[in-house]
DNA sequence: CCTTTAATTCGAATATATTCGAATAATTGA
DNA sequence: TCAATTATTCGAATATATTCGAATTAAAGG
């Protein structure tokens, strides 16, 4: 398969990250990743068609929020915790805290 | 003039806030507000037509990021620092830190 | 090879956002 | 009441995003 673009740490852009996080499905994805760690695309139980999900994975990856590791026919997605924390200290943990139950994200 | 909608603290929604912050002009606005505090709409030196600016002010206000105070024919805009901090602790300061020079927001 | 599995890409429909000139609204002060 | 000031709203053009079925790609295993 084609190369997957993922930005370098210091190319991660704040408005692009915010755009990636402005969609409820994508917030659901990163919430799940935060809770249960790296997951294959198929393992995330989100109730939308695969082609739609794939689009959201791409937005997250290209914004620098997630990292994708290829293993066989699967893609394993994880949060770029360290990179985000390096570039924008405190941002990710504030976001994840904001996604906790009762926060009506 | 018509009533200005601004959400209650606990109605501020994370994905809506991120949407509001996903635009470079709006990030410029909140950066300026963070630096020099409450400003009238006209005092913010941002090089786009008034009708466009007004649109961005509305997005920021309705997302809960800014507060608008009416005084005569002017609107004074400010960041809802306390409200945001109550609802999403640490988020605003991480954002403002991310907007500092050299961060290519 | 052929099939299965896992996921992406394509393409087209639909929905949402952005932009900005012109018109409008509200307030103040002459 | 008229004009000036400040800002919003309207409306229409343009641009961008979202959605999802169908086709495609890639790897693994028989």
């Amino acid at each position: 398969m084609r190369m997957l673009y993922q930005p370098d740490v210091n190319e991660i852009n704040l408005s692009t990250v915010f755009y990636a996080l402005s969609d409820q499905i994508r917030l659901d994805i990163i919430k799940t990743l935060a809770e249960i760690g790296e997951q294959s695309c198929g393992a995330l139980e989100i109730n939308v068609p695969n082609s739609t999900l794939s689009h959201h994975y791409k937005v997250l990856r290209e914004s620098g929020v997630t990292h994708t590791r290829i293993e066989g026919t699967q893609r394993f997605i994880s949060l770029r915790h360290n990179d985000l924390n390096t570039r924008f200290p405190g941002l990710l943990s504030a976001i994840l805290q904001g996604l906790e139950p009762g926060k009506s994200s």
Side-chain angles (χ1 to χ4, degrees), chain A residues 8 16 23 36 42 46 56 88 92 100-101:
Chain A
D8 195 70
T16 309
D23 179 277
I36 59 182
I46 293 184
H56 290 302
F88 303 117
L92 185 57
E100 266 155 32

Side-chain angles (χ1 to χ4, degrees), chain A residues 20 22 36-38 58 60 69 74 76 82-83 87 103:
Chain A
S22 68
I36 59 182
E38 188 190 58
K58 187 184 185 192
L60 286 169
R69 178 170 68 80
Q74 295 183 97
F76 287 88
N82 290 340
D83 288 344
R87 184 113 175 87
K103 290 277 184 170

Side-chain angles (χ1 to χ4, degrees), chain A residues 5 7-8 13 17 31 35 38 45 71 75 83 88-89 93 98 100 104:
Chain A
Y5 171 73
D8 195 70
N13 177 286
V17 166
K31 191 184 176 194
E35 280 164 6
E38 188 190 58
E45 301 199 338
E71 190 179 313
R75 307 277 180 292
D83 288 344
F88 303 117
S93 68
E100 266 155 32
S104 82

